[in-house]
Amino acid sequence: MATFESKIAINRSVNDVYQFLADFNNHGQLMPDNVQNWSASYDEAGFMVQNTVRLSLQITERIENQAVNITAINNPPFPVQLHWSLIANGESTDVTFTINAEPGGLMKMMVSGPLQKLANHEVSSLAALLKS
């Protein structure tokens, strides 16, 4: 399994950050430009990555003001799980976004860089959107 992680402190309450992340409708705002045809409901989202692969995601667990766990569904090219972890730190929130993926052999080398960039992009986009 390969793990990609990005962390940031956001100057917003843990409840504000959690409420944003708990609704998949908001996640489209965090995606990089190579994500196309984003569609979402409260619990599920689907999108294309540069006209190459269609991915579907589902929020599998919400732990109020602590975590949002997401799993790739509907036959992804390899197993992927996303985890948003939130820790209140006074009036700000420490956010960690982790991507756990299980790409095989050569695929691991091809996707490692893009998955780390995705983790970094989503965290920095979240901070930019929620800056007060």
Side-chain angles (χ1 to χ4, degrees):
M1 179 177 304
T3 300
F4 309 93
E5 187 173 273
S6 190
K7 298 179 180 184
I8 200 162
I10 297 177
N11 191 27
R12 291 287 286 267
S13 73
V14 71
N15 186 59
D16 287 350
V17 178
Y18 173 79
Q19 292 301 323
F20 182 90
L21 292 172
D23 185 347
F24 243 148
N25 290 298
N26 296 325
H27 287 240
Q29 300 172 68
L30 305 178
M31 294 296 159
D33 292 339
N34 65 340
V35 169
Q36 304 163 341
N37 301 322
W38 176 268
S39 63
S41 67
Y42 185 73
D43 293 317
E44 294 185 2
F47 57 92
M48 293 282 298
V49 179
Q50 289 182 331
N51 294 320
T52 58
V53 64
R54 175 122 183 105
L55 291 176
S56 297
L57 302 173
Q58 180 177 44
I59 294 178
T60 53
E61 182 179 33
R62 291 177 181 90
I63 303 170
E64 189 169 357
N65 296 336
Q66 294 179 35
V68 176
N69 297 315
I70 302 164
T71 300
I73 58 172
N74 298 331
N75 299 316
F78 49 85
V80 177
Q81 293 156 347
L82 313 172
H83 178 73
W84 289 95
S85 174
L86 311 174
I87 298 173
N89 187 2
E91 297 202 11
S92 68
T93 303
D94 293 333
V95 178
T96 303
F97 180 51
T98 306
I99 301 172
N100 291 310
E102 295 182 38
L106 189 56
M107 178 74 80
K108 183 176 182 179
M109 290 174 27
M110 292 178 8
V111 302
S112 290
L115 287 176
Q116 184 60 57
K117 282 183 182 179
L118 175 65
N120 296 341
H121 182 86
E122 288 206 28
V123 165
S124 62
S125 294
L126 179 67
L129 283 167
L130 296 182
K131 71 179 177 183
S132 46

